[in-house]
Amino acid sequence: MIRSRLKAQRLAFLFLLGCFFFNYPLLSVFNRGGDFFGMPPLYAWLMGSWLALIVQMIWVVESRGD
Amino acid sequence: MLQGWVIVLASFVYLGILFAIAWYADRRADSGRSLIANPVVYALSLGVYCTTWTFYGSVGRAAASGIGFLPIYLGPTLLFALAGFVLHKMIKVAKANRITSIADFVASRYGKSQLLGGLVTVIAVVGVIPYIALQLKAVSNSFAILASYPEIIMPAKAGAVPLFQDSALYVAMILAAFTILFGTRHLDATERHEGMVAAIAVESTVKLIAFLAVGVFVVWGMHQGVGDIFAQAAAVPTVARRLATADSPAAYGTWGTLIFLSLFASLLLPRQFQIAVVENVDAKHLSRAVWMFPLYLFLINLFVLPVALAGMMHFPNGTVDADTFVLTLPMAHQQEALTLLVYIGGLSAATGMVIVETIALSTMVCNDLVMPLLLRLPMLGLAARADLSGLLLEIRRWAIAVILCLGYLYFRVAGEAYALVSIGLISFAAVAQFAPVVIGGLFWKGGTRDGALFGLAAGFAVWAYTLLLPSFAKSGWLPDGFIAHGLFGIDLLRPQHLFGLTGLDEITHCLVWSLLANLGGYIGVSLQRVPNVREARQATLFVGGAEAAGLPGWHGSAGVADLLPLAGRFLGAERAQDAFTRHAQQRGLQSLHELPADTRLVNFAETLLAGAIGSASARAMVASVVTEEPLGINEVMNILDEASQVRAYTRELEQKSLELTRATAELREANARLRELDRMKDDFISTVTHELRTPLTSIRAFSEMLHDDPKIDLAQRSRFLGIIVSETVRLSRLINQILDLAKLESGRAEWTVAAVDVAEVIREAAESLTALFAEKHVTLELDASHPGLMVLADRDRLMQVMVNLLSNALKFVPAESGRVKVGAGGTVNEVRVSVADNGPGIQSEDQEVIFDKFRQGAGTTDVLTDKPQGTGLGLPISRQIIEYFNGRLWVESAPGAGARFVFTLPRQAGDNDQNAD
């Protein structure tokens, strides 16, 4: 339940994390040629961190307790 | 075989299925077993965010700018991470206040301002109509491409096709009909459309499945997995450039801007607000949507880049528009079923967006634009009309038709122009203008109506100048000189390099300036004054959350008798009745007629109405029946702590006390008048008893003498009896006159009003007194030579007056030489009668006194008997009678020169007319 203040704060933390993941300057680290599991590094980073963020959101929202 | 008729049939069957789902969901909602009351449906319906711009456009965008399509979906993901703070609060506030649209939300937050609601509506309509045009274009294009199957031919330029062969026209018409069926079947007090939401959720599922199917086919059907595609793409130089993001800092700026923009768009676009806030069944559903909706976005974007790269490799010479890769790749491989599925997916994306967007816009147009205007036009008499619910639905239907019509027109005019391609982001930038007033309104209590108006107007103006007008110019609708050289040739006013700001892309540039103007206006103007009472109350409701729940909204009351018909006019009598009954049951009452006329009831009625016609109009309508009481001191202190508000209250108190003082003075005056009347009554009674006692005493004295002394001689005895008889006559005359007067004064006298000939009355009165005149040897001259002096009066009463005046005159003229002269005459408007005598005359100070009761002029007492010669009631009675018939009675006299009594009566109109009654 996001009504719980702790969960809301965890989600807000994920928001800040996402802002950092999806923006300059972190993006410039991956903005290069090459290969990362067969994918361009930037694309792999964005899709991977996006999915990770969603998984963490699931974990925060669906976890019991608190 | 994908012939034209198959496609059309499939489209209609699909729409038919959707409609059946909607119908079923509405049925379930009516029976209280909501189909959409679960978080999965809620999250899926939020997928309306993904339009054809996503379905077809993402691939096109990826083909043009690599991963540049992604920020549009990363923004909403971030927003939903913040849902617990922002969206959750918005839903709570909207539910408590029955908010029906984003315009309603803003209007309600800043003191229920109709002006503000109207402005938000205009911005939303201007900003979103091109976006609707984009959907029409996508559907008609996909239809055109599909119709030429198996060949892949790009459709002709829009606008080049004659009007009635243009499939977009039919798409627009069908969508309008469909939207009207979905959205305006009945008027719901909460403005929720369960059926529509169910259909949207299904559409979201369909378009996701369709897109994933294409992705799977492209990645594993045409290639050997994702790695294969990227490897092949890297080998093609033109395609390889799309693999990395751009390399200048400006590109990162644009990237950040797009995340920021889409974050707000996914909250503030009218359709997003409608689905996320208005249609939300239970705020709890939000918690699961927090991850489901981002997951949906993730899945629908999973194959965008691979499909784009595959398309670019498959159609290397650029003859096929990248926007159509999703459709043309399966076509090129003769995958008929997949192609049809993709087409249906695109149709889902378009119809979902158009339906929700037009319903949301039509609610706004109806509640915040049209209804306030109509209710203000007194000539329409709407404010007095009994049932307006039909009219409301009618307005919404027309609004839907007009909005889609405008969307089609835009499509037709813009065609392939620049404006249509970039319009998605231009729309996003338009609705981003709502962000300061909405977000600020949720967290900052200091915002005022003026600030919101100013901020919105300024932001909208800058948006139009820096983004909309240049897009028109690039489409060739406006001369484009002002882009290069600035307005009026002023270099600083170049719309895309305003005040010399360069190095930004146009969207970022627009956002920088418009949000600067918007925020600056909103905060700057808001800080000019403290919020007034109403703004402060709404601020507490929106910002304060729970503690605001107990605040009374109205300081006044109105009963069920007033509020029920009012609600009935907009909701329909039956629905209003149901709602009131439910409210009564919630309060533990037997029936709605037991509801007390209190603030709670008024608030309930206002919230109920707000659902149908918007909060600003609802407030105005409720205000028309509520008698608002002045604020109580506690309420004022609760809502506000600003000194100025307390001062306002003091002013109100002062005014109240002034009113009280005035009322006290009036009461005191009335009391004095009553006392005077009381004193007069006492005087009257004592005079009357005195007057009665005089004849009684004399009767008693003579009777006792006769009784006690039997030896009185006959002459003496008959003299005494004569006195007794005359005193008795006098006594009974007195009593008769007192009774008469009492009747006249109390208004209980009976009057027989008819046309009366005054001359005749004079003659008759004179005749009845002939004997008395002869006895005293007084000459009576009659000048009744004007026949036909008609007045409207009671004949007997008039006679009474005449006899009174004559006998009065007779009393005071000397015997033998006395002369009484009666004159009659008249003007056009009145009849005038005078009775003149040559008696002693009346002192000027007595001339009014003689008309008072029991008052007689000096020298009217009989010299011999020392008894008054009259009762003192004749003249007052006469005056009452004459005044009853709207006439006047007065005396003209000088001592020694006789007296002349005159009365006038209004002449009967037409003189010889029939007798009136």
Side-chain angles (χ1 to χ4, degrees):
Chain A
M1 290 295 124
I2 48 173
R3 276 176 302 173
S4 141
R5 294 217 54 87
L6 193 58
K7 285 188 179 177
Q9 287 173 44
R10 284 176 185 164
L11 284 171
F13 173 68
L14 290 182
F15 166 79
L16 293 176
L17 210 58
C19 289
F20 178 66
F21 283 173
F22 300 153
N23 271 304
Y24 183 82
L26 195 63
L27 290 190
S28 64
V29 173
F30 299 94
N31 189 20
R32 55 183 167 83
D35 195 319
F36 192 83
F37 290 111
M39 286 182 278
L42 189 61
Y43 180 71
W45 163 250
L46 280 171
M47 294 309 273
S49 63
W50 191 8
L51 188 62
L53 202 67
I54 293 171
V55 169
Q56 288 179 69
M57 284 161 88
I58 296 177
W59 180 72
V60 169
V61 170
E62 302 297 328
S63 69
R64 307 221 162 262
D66 303 317
Chain B
M1 281 295 97
L2 284 178
Q3 282 134 350
W5 67 268
V6 177
I7 306 163
V8 173
L9 185 70
S11 309
F12 276 99
V13 168
Y14 179 62
L15 290 179
I17 292 172
L18 282 185
F19 192 72
I21 291 169
W23 181 80
Y24 177 64
D26 268 337
R27 277 271 307 273
R28 287 280 297 256
D30 287 344
S31 62
R33 296 175 302 138
S34 176
L35 203 59
I36 67 165
N38 74 73
V40 180
V41 174
Y42 178 64
L44 281 175
S45 64
L46 282 169
V48 76
Y49 180 73
C50 300
T51 65
T52 57
W53 197 48
T54 301
F55 194 82
Y56 295 119
S58 277
V59 171
R61 228 182 135 72
S65 65
I67 55 169
F69 66 96
L70 267 182
I72 306 298
Y73 309 94
L74 295 175
T77 304
L78 294 177
L79 173 82
F80 271 74
L82 274 187
F85 288 104
V86 182
L87 205 49
H88 192 260
K89 193 168 185 180
M90 270 171 103
I91 292 173
K92 284 276 180 207
V93 167
K95 282 196 185 307
N97 295 282
R98 299 225 183 189
I99 300 292
T100 57
S101 66
I102 186 149
D104 201 20
F105 187 90
V106 176
S108 180
R109 164 62 184 84
Y110 298 99
K112 307 193 176 175
S113 154
Q114 291 185 337
L115 192 60
L116 202 47
L119 179 63
V120 173
T121 304
V122 169
I123 294 176
V125 170
V126 172
V128 167
I129 276 189
Y131 203 176
I132 293 175
L134 187 68
Q135 311 304 315
L136 299 179
K137 180 186 169 193
V139 173
S140 84
N141 273 6
S142 64
F143 178 78
I145 292 171
L146 211 53
S148 59
Y149 182 86
E151 283 185 60
I152 296 168
I153 301 169
M154 286 297 106
K157 277 185 82 138
V161 195
L163 186 65
F164 289 104
Q165 290 171 24
D166 188 353
S167 56
L169 175 66
Y170 300 103
V171 171
M173 277 161 43
I174 291 165
L175 282 181
F178 205 57
T179 311
I180 288 170
L181 281 175
F182 262 116
T184 59
R185 287 201 305 134
H186 56 69
L187 196 65
D188 192 2
T190 52
E191 211 46 64
R192 291 186 48 235
H193 312 78
E194 295 225 340
M196 179 194 79
V197 175
I200 296 303
V202 171
E203 291 200 304
S204 289
T205 316
V206 169
K207 69 191 175 202
L208 179 62
I209 290 173
F211 202 93
L212 288 177
V214 175
V216 168
F217 169 73
V218 169
V219 172
W220 286 287
M222 289 166 58
H223 301 87
Q224 280 78 52
V226 181
D228 180 37
I229 293 184
F230 282 116
Q232 287 189 28
V236 184
T238 48
V239 182
R241 277 192 291 137
R242 300 288 169 248
L243 293 180
T245 188
D247 33 30
S248 70
Y252 292 119
T254 308
W255 178 274
T257 305
L258 291 184
I259 289 184
F260 175 79
L261 204 53
S262 58
L263 187 155
F264 284 119
S266 63
L267 181 70
L268 301 173
L269 275 170
R271 68 171 187 278
Q272 292 304 118
F273 189 87
Q274 179 80 23
I275 292 289
V277 178
V278 180
E279 306 283 357
N280 176 280
V281 180
D282 186 339
K284 278 188 218 140
H285 297 165
L286 185 61
S287 59
R288 192 154 283 168
V290 159
W291 60 264
M292 275 191 182
F293 179 55
L295 186 62
Y296 182 93
L297 295 178
F298 177 81
L299 290 176
I300 210 164
N301 280 294
L302 197 53
F303 294 111
V304 168
L305 196 59
V307 171
L309 295 175
M312 286 168 82
M313 288 184 288
H314 200 273
F315 305 107
N317 48 8
T319 48
V320 175
D321 188 354
D323 279 344
T324 66
F325 283 168
V326 183
L327 197 60
T328 46
L329 280 175
M331 274 174 81
H333 289 80
Q334 262 101 75
Q335 296 287 328
E336 284 186 14
L338 184 59
T339 307
L340 195 61
L341 179 64
V342 169
Y343 167 77
I344 293 293
L347 189 65
S348 296
T351 50
M353 182 276 181
V354 170
I355 288 171
V356 184
E357 200 85 84
T358 42
I359 285 177
L361 284 180
S362 77
T363 307
M364 286 158 75
V365 167
C366 172
N367 287 0
D368 295 286
L369 217 53
V370 179
M371 275 317 273
L373 288 178
L374 288 186
L375 287 171
R376 256 172 214 205
L377 289 178
M379 65 191 117
L380 295 178
L382 282 188
R385 229 163 99 173
D387 189 348
L388 291 169
S389 56
L391 180 71
L392 280 173
L393 281 181
E394 213 53 44
I395 292 174
R396 285 180 198 182
R397 288 180 185 140
W398 278 105
I400 289 171
V402 169
I403 288 166
L404 273 168
C405 198
L406 287 175
Y408 175 71
L409 274 182
Y410 189 93
F411 159 75
R412 185 92 189 155
V413 175
E416 296 295 316
Y418 165 86
L420 207 55
V421 180
S422 60
I423 202 65
L425 285 178
I426 295 182
S427 283
F428 279 23
V431 296
Q433 303 307 323
F434 300 148
V437 294
V438 170
I439 306 295
L442 272 179
F443 295 100
W444 181 45
K445 285 190 184 181
T448 65
R449 187 194 81 124
D450 300 345
L453 272 177
F454 198 88
L456 273 179
F460 180 59
V462 173
W463 168 80
Y465 185 67
T466 57
L467 210 52
L468 190 67
L469 292 185
S471 83
F472 285 174
K474 286 178 190 172
S475 307
W477 306 344
L478 286 176
D480 55 1
F482 83 106
I483 298 182
H485 308 296
L487 197 63
F488 312 122
I490 303 170
D491 203 44
L492 284 180
L493 291 183
R494 280 184 299 160
Q496 301 197 318
H497 302 283
L498 202 57
F499 305 124
L501 182 67
T502 52
L504 297 176
D505 69 292
E506 54 181 19
I507 299 284
T508 312
H509 172 268
C510 163
L511 272 191
V512 167
W513 286 120
S514 64
L515 286 186
L516 184 73
N518 192 332
L519 267 174
Y522 172 57
I523 298 174
V525 175
S526 286
L527 292 179
Q528 293 302 306
R529 62 170 173 83
V530 291
N532 63 29
V533 180
R534 204 186 287 172
E535 286 162 352
R537 182 184 110 76
Q538 292 304 106
T540 321
L541 280 179
F542 277 59
V543 181
E547 73 268 24
L551 276 181
W554 286 88
H555 309 283
S557 58
V560 174
D562 292 320
L563 293 170
L564 184 58
L566 182 72
R569 283 167 55 200
F570 293 97
L571 299 175
E574 215 170 296
R575 276 171 186 279
Q577 188 99 17
D578 286 351
F580 272 74
T581 311
R582 267 200 307 281
H583 178 65
Q585 281 163 356
Q586 274 167 17
R587 293 172 69 168
L589 301 170
Q590 292 295 324
S591 81
L592 63 95
H593 300 289
E594 287 175 25
L595 283 169
D598 56 8
T599 37
R600 224 175 123 188
L601 181 66
V602 177
N603 280 331
F604 161 74
E606 191 193 346
T607 336
L608 186 70
L609 267 182
I613 58 173
S615 57
S617 298
R619 192 186 159 85
M621 291 317 296
V622 170
S624 69
V625 298
V626 171
T627 44
E628 200 153 2
E629 289 155 10
L631 292 172
I633 186 79
N634 286 335
E635 287 151 348
V636 173
M637 296 310 286
N638 271 344
I639 301 170
L640 318 148
D641 40 11
E642 287 92 350
S644 75
Q645 301 296 344
V646 179
R647 277 207 302 280
Y649 175 71
T650 317
R651 265 205 305 284
E652 217 164 310
L653 270 185
E654 271 168 14
Q655 204 174 341
K656 210 81 211 157
S657 108
L658 216 69
E659 273 168 29
L660 276 177
T661 318
R662 236 187 344 258
T664 314
E666 273 168 25
L667 276 177
R668 198 172 287 134
E669 204 174 302
N671 190 32
R673 212 162 46 235
L674 274 178
R675 274 171 197 279
E676 169 73 9
L677 283 175
D678 190 48
R679 195 186 53 75
M680 281 166 72
K681 186 203 73 189
D682 286 347
D683 283 358
F684 180 73
I685 287 175
S686 76
T687 319
V688 167
T689 35
H690 175 77
E691 293 293 326
L692 291 176
R693 208 167 49 201
T694 320
L696 263 180
T697 316
S698 125
I699 290 168
R700 184 176 164 192
F702 285 109
S703 314
E704 277 175 354
M705 280 158 83
L706 287 172
H707 180 263
D708 294 347
D709 187 1
K711 286 184 293 226
I712 292 176
D713 64 55
L714 201 63
Q716 191 80 339
R717 185 181 292 248
S718 74
R719 195 173 74 84
F720 284 178
L721 281 173
I723 292 171
I724 290 175
V725 169
S726 78
E727 286 300 301
T728 318
V729 169
R730 198 167 112 84
L731 192 59
S732 56
R733 192 173 68 230
L734 189 66
I735 290 172
N736 280 340
Q737 284 189 336
I738 290 170
L739 288 175
D740 206 17
L741 191 70
K743 262 196 201 164
L744 285 176
E745 288 197 331
S746 66
R748 274 178 296 147
E750 283 170 15
W751 305 88
T752 323
V753 181
V756 177
D757 183 351
V758 175
E760 206 182 299
V761 171
I762 295 174
R763 213 174 306 120
E764 258 177 58
E767 264 166 32
S768 70
L769 292 171
T770 318
L772 289 175
F773 274 84
E775 194 179 299
K776 205 175 172 184
H777 301 288
V778 172
T779 326
L780 175 61
E781 289 174 33
L782 287 189
D783 175 23
S785 53
H786 301 285
L789 289 173
M790 306 296 287
V791 293
L792 262 187
D794 183 316
R795 187 188 166 83
D796 293 342
R797 291 290 187 185
L798 204 54
M799 188 81 168
Q800 191 183 353
V801 172
M802 214 49 229
V803 169
N804 233 324
L805 292 180
L806 283 174
S807 50
N808 228 16
L810 180 63
K811 252 177 256 168
F812 296 110
V813 294
E816 309 297 337
S817 63
R819 290 166 68 88
V820 175
K821 191 177 169 186
V822 180
T827 63
V828 187
N829 295 323
E830 57 181 27
V831 170
R832 185 186 179 102
V833 176
S834 63
V835 178
D837 63 52
N838 61 346
I842 303 164
Q843 302 280 345
S844 58
E845 65 264 29
D846 283 344
Q847 285 182 9
E848 264 313 299
V849 172
I850 55 170
F851 290 102
D852 287 351
K853 284 158 253 176
F854 300 110
R855 299 288 288 273
Q856 303 191 359
T860 54
T861 45
D862 195 309
V863 188
L864 297 173
T865 59
D866 196 28
K867 277 183 189 160
Q869 296 187 357
T871 56
L873 289 175
L875 283 173
I877 290 176
S878 301
R879 182 171 257 191
Q880 291 251 5
I881 293 170
I882 294 297
E883 283 176 355
Y884 181 83
F885 294 113
N886 300 320
R888 287 188 308 126
L889 169 63
W890 72 98
V891 64
E892 299 162 354
S893 175
R900 185 179 144 87
F901 285 86
V902 186
F903 69 83
T904 61
L905 283 172
R907 200 167 183 152
Q908 192 205 0
D911 240 9
N912 295 328
D913 281 1
Q914 73 292 343
N915 290 359
D917 188 58

